[in-house]
Amino acid sequence: MLLTYFQGVMLGMAMILPIGPQNALVLSQGMRRQFPVMVASLCAISDAVLIYFGVFGGGALLSQSPILLQVVTWGGVLFLAWYGWGAFREAFKTGENVFSLDAQTSNTRYRIMLTVLAVTWLNPHVYLDTVVVLGSLGEQFGDLRLWFVIGCVTASIVWFFSLALLSAWLAPWLQKSNAQRAINLVVGIVMWVIAFQLARHALSSLFG
């Protein structure tokens, strides 16, 4: 039981740690100190739902539906491209402290919530990592699958809350314009690289 749980923790960490849209968003919102706990909670809850769905049968369903994967993929490509463009625009703004504690007052709780949900649920990598990969691995544990899910969810909670709270704590040291510009550039590059990879994969599956 405990062995299965810790296997879930380790595999969950392996899937979450690489830089992706979720991590980039949690980091940027934490540095802005705009509802970092809410952002981390939404990411962790979304991952928990997807992992549970994947381990208890959803992985096979999604892998057998190429049309659904195409729809999700192109929706993700468009959203990531748009979000990346916004990050690049922020990076090249002059005379504005985009990460200051008083900046971005127009970003309401509702708008940030929608952005987090879109970054999570319109990113096909999330489905591939949580539903397909972790789902197929979790199915091998039989009656202990629930402990595997709990382990993966634990990893998700620890990582997202650590990232959000640490970035919020470091915010006062990251108010220099050069640091802000560099972070926005990294976020924009991550979003566009992933969008490009998704588009290339989708086109190859259609015409390959």
Side-chain angles (χ1 to χ4, degrees):
M1 184 182 301
L2 287 178
L3 178 61
T4 302
Y5 170 79
F6 284 113
Q7 284 180 304
V9 172
M10 298 303 296
L11 289 170
M13 279 293 182
M15 291 295 169
I16 297 169
L17 284 179
I19 296 177
Q22 274 185 313
N23 289 338
L25 182 61
V26 172
L27 178 63
S28 63
Q29 292 303 133
M31 291 171 57
R32 291 184 172 97
R33 290 186 174 179
Q34 291 181 328
F35 313 111
V37 173
M38 181 195 73
V39 172
S41 299
L42 287 175
C43 288
I45 292 171
S46 297
D47 275 9
V49 172
L50 290 168
I51 293 168
Y52 184 89
F53 175 72
V55 171
F56 288 91
L61 177 64
L62 185 62
S63 62
Q64 294 174 2
S65 179
I67 295 178
L68 179 59
L69 277 177
Q70 283 290 331
V71 171
V72 173
T73 297
W74 286 109
V77 167
L78 293 175
F79 179 80
L80 293 174
W82 172 80
Y83 194 91
W85 171 247
F88 284 125
R89 286 174 52 193
E90 293 289 342
F92 292 106
K93 278 185 177 180
T94 57
E96 183 175 353
N97 194 0
V98 297
F99 280 132
S100 68
L101 303 185
D102 297 324
Q104 299 289 328
T105 54
S106 62
N107 280 343
T108 63
R109 183 189 297 267
Y110 179 70
R111 179 181 175 185
I112 294 172
M113 185 182 300
L114 290 180
T115 302
V116 174
L117 293 176
V119 164
T120 301
W121 293 88
L122 290 179
N123 177 19
H125 276 180
V126 172
Y127 293 94
L128 294 176
D129 290 345
T130 58
V131 178
V132 177
V133 177
L134 291 179
S136 61
L137 291 173
E139 289 177 350
Q140 301 174 11
F141 290 97
D143 294 337
L144 296 176
R145 286 180 295 174
L146 183 59
W147 286 101
F148 178 81
V149 170
I150 294 173
C152 292
V153 173
T154 299
S156 179
I157 292 172
V158 170
W159 172 251
F160 285 126
F161 276 90
S162 298
L163 184 62
L165 296 177
L166 181 62
S167 59
W169 179 64
L170 293 174
W173 290 273
L174 296 169
Q175 297 301 308
K176 295 182 179 180
S177 59
N178 287 338
Q180 299 166 14
R181 185 172 292 109
I183 292 166
N184 268 319
L185 284 173
V186 170
V187 171
I189 291 171
V190 168
M191 298 298 180
W192 277 17
V193 167
I194 294 175
F196 174 77
Q197 292 175 340
L198 291 175
R200 185 176 62 179
H201 178 74
L203 290 173
S204 64
S205 63
L206 282 175
F207 305 106

